[in-house]
Amino acid sequence: MATTAATTAAASGAMLRKATFKGAAWSKLSSSSHISSFSSRSFTSSSLKFDKNKAKESSAIKAMSQTNNTHVSGLPINLKGKRAFIAGVADDNGYGWAIAKALAAAGAEILVGTWVPALNIFESSLRRGKFDESRVLPDGSLMEITKVYPLDAVFDNLEDVPEDIKTNKRYAGSSKWTVQEVAESVKNDFGSIDILVHSLANGPEVTKPLLETSRNGYLAALSASSYSYISLLKHFVPIINPGGSSLSLTYIASEKIIPGYGGGMSSAKAALESDTRVLAFEAGRKHRVRVNTISAGPLRSRAAKAIGFIDMMIDYSIANAPLQKELSADEVGNTAAFLASPLASAITGTVIYVDNGLHAMGVGVDSPIFKDLNIPKDENH
């Protein structure tokens, strides 16, 4: 599956950026926009030496874990003893990675994976320590990834895979990467999980206006970006422990016009949000599993560059959102950790906006038309 900005701030929402959080080792991470596939090979993070001081300044995360064994007052998010499967981690600058870090900081065991063609590079980067700075948690330790699975969420089972994919050299050496096979592998390896995260999307024609989108391009966007979530939940929900949580990533283009975000991706996000409500009912009644989605604001990422105007969207957000600051991926990760925790035990079927409030605006206040209005502005911008 080709990588596109279809994932979050879309969702993938997909627009993320890896930028240094001022003085903090916990970097801003950007969202992954490709369909993830995960390898059955295992990878256990090595305990490498690292400067622990770099992780102590991340104030946004301190509320969810203990730093230097210092007691955290209030309602800390505690996911110890929980296991999470994050579908959509292919590098260290995506939403999936940010969510994995937040869940790990709260104590959860992390299972992740990477789209098959990117698998070798991902695992090699992990082994070589290229992601070590990004793996630093608030207490100074490194995020542990218990196992990496191949998962191409476009295919439900082996019978769905066309011959040209089966014989594609980019898939050589990997097996059991369809949704059904991965769910079975996780069950065999661990028995159950508590948290399922869908952080992947793809729109092969995302740069085309909807009027110019082909049927195949449109259906491909829905298959990779919305039905993939239905398939994941369908196959994983039998092994999600009662009281568990599942979440996906969406984007405001599902309900508002975002010119340039084409190829059927806006339709895919709208479908994802509608499916979230129905899945919340079905999974809640049958399995006591909560289902929510996070609508994230624009962030720079490799995937977002496929759209071509991510910088413009970020500037627009800073100028017009109630909170005039650039969104960081760890803010999305924090929200995911909350939604996965007992603190959100009554929240399901909901779209949670993590976009500095941009979704609430009805007009662009930076328009020259409003130049004479007394509109409050953040002096730092």
Side-chain angles (χ1 to χ4, degrees):
M1 249 320 144
T3 297
T4 79
T7 281
T8 90
S12 349
M15 310 179 188
L16 271 178
R17 166 173 102 129
K18 179 182 179 183
T20 303
F21 202 44
K22 295 180 181 177
W26 199 331
S27 306
K28 292 181 180 178
L29 304 171
S30 74
S31 153
S32 168
S33 198
H34 30 233
I35 258 309
S36 287
S37 320
F38 303 72
S39 156
S40 53
R41 313 172 209 179
S42 64
F43 175 86
T44 302
S45 322
S46 56
S47 299
L48 302 176
K49 294 181 179 179
F50 203 85
D51 183 1
K52 295 185 179 181
N53 292 326
K54 292 183 179 180
K56 297 176 184 175
E57 301 173 21
S58 182
S59 58
I61 308 300
K62 288 180 181 177
M64 75 163 70
S65 68
Q66 292 185 351
T67 302
N68 292 336
N69 298 318
T70 300
H71 177 70
V72 178
S73 61
L75 292 172
I77 293 177
N78 186 353
L79 296 176
K80 290 182 179 179
K82 305 298 184 182
R83 182 178 297 116
F85 182 89
I86 299 102
V89 181
D91 51 38
D92 67 340
N93 76 341
Y95 274 135
W97 181 274
I99 291 172
K101 283 189 65 177
L103 297 178
E109 180 181 12
I110 305 300
L111 310 178
V112 301
T114 303
W115 185 39
V116 178
L119 178 66
N120 289 335
I121 294 176
F122 179 67
E123 290 190 314
S124 174
S125 296
L126 282 169
R127 287 193 300 269
R128 292 164 54 194
K130 290 186 66 177
F131 299 152
D132 281 357
E133 184 174 356
S134 297
R135 288 170 56 205
V136 179
L137 299 177
D139 64 357
S141 66
L142 299 183
M143 175 178 67
E144 296 281 336
I145 298 176
T146 301
K147 192 163 184 177
V148 178
Y149 290 88
L151 167 69
D152 192 329
V154 169
F155 305 108
D156 297 328
N157 50 58
L158 193 59
E159 290 70 31
D160 291 341
V161 183
E163 195 61 33
D164 62 326
I165 295 294
K166 291 180 180 178
T167 58
N168 192 308
K169 63 180 182 180
R170 302 172 76 191
Y171 286 73
S174 294
S175 61
K176 296 183 178 180
W177 41 259
T178 64
V179 177
Q180 180 181 357
E181 292 173 309
V182 173
E184 291 172 350
S185 295
V186 172
K187 180 181 180 180
N188 292 335
D189 292 340
F190 300 97
S192 65
I193 63 173
D194 302 277
I195 303 162
L196 176 66
V197 179
H198 176 278
S199 177
L200 50 87
N202 185 56
E205 298 181 17
V206 65
T207 59
K208 290 185 179 181
L210 192 56
L211 275 175
E212 298 176 14
T213 299
S214 69
R215 182 184 296 271
N216 287 338
Y218 184 92
L219 295 178
L222 266 70
S223 173
S225 309
S226 51
Y227 185 79
S228 58
Y229 186 42
I230 297 174
S231 180
L232 276 171
L233 193 54
K234 172 184 176 181
H235 290 92
F236 272 88
V237 76
I239 65 170
I240 300 178
N241 292 318
S245 174
S246 178
L247 62 92
S248 63
L249 291 160
T250 185
Y251 182 49
I252 194 64
S254 62
E255 53 187 282
K256 307 290 184 182
I257 300 168
I258 306 293
Y261 189 71
M265 279 307 304
S266 57
S267 306
K269 293 305 175 186
L272 181 65
E273 293 178 17
S274 177
D275 295 339
T276 293
R277 292 183 283 273
V278 178
L279 292 172
F281 177 79
E282 296 179 356
R285 289 295 182 97
K286 295 180 180 179
H287 303 279
R288 289 177 50 208
V289 171
R290 295 179 294 108
V291 182
N292 294 290
T293 188
I294 297 173
S295 183
L299 288 160
R300 294 180 182 88
S301 71
R302 296 186 186 96
K305 291 179 181 177
I307 298 179
F309 59 93
I310 182 62
D311 291 336
M312 184 189 308
M313 292 302 295
I314 291 172
D315 291 342
Y316 178 87
S317 178
I318 292 173
N320 293 285
L323 300 178
Q324 288 190 274
K325 63 182 183 62
E326 191 164 338
L327 185 68
S328 66
D330 53 290
E331 291 173 305
V332 173
N334 294 348
T335 303
F338 162 72
L339 289 173
S341 78
L343 297 181
S345 60
I347 300 176
T348 193
T350 299
V351 177
I352 303 292
Y353 297 93
V354 185
D355 63 356
N356 289 322
L358 185 63
H359 71 280
M361 298 301 298
V363 296
V365 295
D366 62 343
S367 170
I369 294 175
F370 300 106
K371 62 180 174 53
D372 295 328
L373 286 183
N374 183 22
I375 298 175
K377 293 183 179 179
D378 188 331
E379 295 302 323
N380 294 321
H381 291 87

